[in-house]
Amino acid sequence: MGVSNEQFRAAMSRLAAGVVLVTACEPSLDADDPQAPVGEDVGMTATAFLSVSLDPPLVLVSLREGSRMDDLLAEQPLWGVSVLAESQRHIAGRFAMKGRISDRLLFADIPYVRGETSGAPLVGGALATLECRTEQTVTAGDHTLVIGRVLSAALPSADGGPLTYFKGKYRQLG
């Protein structure tokens, strides 16, 4: 017995989720050499993101095992999260594409600031931004659950509602 992948996906598609962009900056190829090229910014859209604890402030993001972000966060403990607004559907779609272009090009025309603590890109106009440090990782099936301590939080934009994901599509509330 058991549930098929299709049944499980169909059932879980009925759970509305907020949409975030998880970002990090690859470390320099040679941290001891100030002339070494800085690593590339990396980003991915996530809908499996949640608050875990208030004291200490912890969040959790689920990453597909072996994905670029999973590999990067295994070596880079600092990362950022931008809670996307309903007007930022194009950003979510861009960073969720399979077989996509380089991350450098993905960030090219998106307004962002670099997090002071993490160095990660934080999307301009996001409803909230967080900078995190990995506290723990847990392998769960074909995903890695990354629990991060929130080092900073900001509310860059009070305008608009959240971008949500429901029944396989990005949606707006209301």
Side-chain angles (χ1 to χ4, degrees):
M1 295 269 189
V3 63
S4 71
N5 287 349
E6 294 78 25
Q7 291 170 317
F8 183 64
R9 274 196 190 120
M12 295 311 298
S13 76
R14 300 317 195 257
L15 177 63
V19 182
V20 301
L21 185 67
V22 179
T23 56
C25 183
E26 284 181 321
S28 173
L29 298 176
D30 183 356
D32 297 328
D33 180 3
Q35 305 295 355
V38 176
E40 192 171 50
D41 291 327
V42 177
M44 66 157 267
T45 301
T47 57
F49 176 79
L50 59 107
S51 169
V52 173
S53 169
L54 186 59
D55 187 19
L58 299 174
V59 293
L60 177 147
V61 65
S62 180
L63 308 174
R64 186 176 37 81
E65 193 172 69
S67 68
R68 180 143 188 233
M69 188 62 72
D70 183 40
D71 292 343
L72 176 55
L73 292 190
E75 66 178 74
Q76 165 59 284
L78 298 173
W79 43 283
V81 176
S82 299
V83 178
L84 298 180
E86 57 195 4
S87 64
Q88 296 175 315
R89 178 184 305 210
H90 65 289
I91 295 172
R94 177 184 292 190
F95 283 89
M97 289 188 301
K98 289 182 174 37
R100 59 188 199 198
I101 60 176
S102 81
D103 285 282
R104 181 178 51 77
L105 295 175
L106 290 175
F107 283 102
D109 63 347
I110 293 175
Y112 67 86
V113 297
R114 195 156 298 280
E116 290 182 27
T117 305
S118 67
L122 302 171
V123 177
L127 296 179
T129 59
L130 306 169
E131 291 184 89
C132 306
R133 181 185 66 236
T134 301
E135 291 278 308
Q136 182 180 0
T137 60
V138 177
T139 300
D142 59 359
H143 277 66
T144 302
L145 306 179
V146 179
I147 299 170
R149 181 180 294 253
V150 178
L151 304 174
S152 72
L155 306 174
S157 178
D159 296 333
L163 181 61
T164 58
Y165 193 72
F166 180 69
K167 292 173 86 173
K169 296 181 181 176
Y170 296 116
R171 304 192 185 249
Q172 299 172 323
L173 290 181

